[in-house]
């Protein structure tokens, strides 16, 4: 499973989801759907690129791969 670390990065940078929504011109609903969806099957490259640019991070910092057994 791939974990998207947007909330962790926002917290580290003292930024809010609202700030990120403004930066990416995305609704809070769609942001939450992209980063917290229980059945994340795909995410747009546009979002991944936008997250990295807005949060000034690399894909390695944005994404974490974990075994499905390790996720509750």
């Amino acid at each position: 499973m791939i974990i998207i670390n947007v909330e962790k990065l926002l917290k580290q940078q003292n930024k809010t989801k609202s700030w990120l929504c403004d930066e990416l011109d995305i609704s809070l609903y769609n942001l939450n759907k992209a980063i917290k969806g229980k059945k994340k099957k795909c995410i747009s490259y546009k979002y991944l690129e936008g997250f990295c640019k807005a949060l000034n991070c690399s894909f390695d910092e944005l994404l974490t791969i974990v075994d499905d057994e390790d996720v509750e």
Side-chain angles (χ1 to χ4, degrees):
M1 172 182 268
I2 296 175
I3 305 296
I4 302 172
N5 299 311
V6 168
E7 291 176 301
K8 176 182 169 184
L9 292 165
L10 285 169
K11 187 175 181 178
Q12 288 174 350
Q13 297 179 23
N14 294 317
K15 295 179 179 172
T16 65
K17 285 184 183 179
S18 295
W19 171 85
L20 187 57
C21 288
D22 290 343
E23 288 292 308
L24 300 178
D25 193 27
I26 184 175
S27 71
L28 183 58
Y29 172 80
N30 284 333
L31 176 64
N32 283 328
K33 188 175 169 185
I35 63 175
K36 286 190 170 185
K38 294 288 183 191
K39 296 182 180 181
K40 287 183 251 178
K41 293 184 180 180
C42 65
I43 185 168
S44 166
Y45 286 121
K46 176 184 169 185
Y47 286 150
L48 293 174
E49 181 181 10
F51 293 152
C52 287
K53 284 182 177 181
L55 297 168
N56 194 28
C57 67
S58 67
F59 283 119
D60 289 346
E61 295 168 304
L62 181 66
L63 305 174
T64 302
I65 298 174
V66 296
D67 290 331
D68 287 340
E69 301 94 39
D70 295 340
V71 178
E72 295 179 10

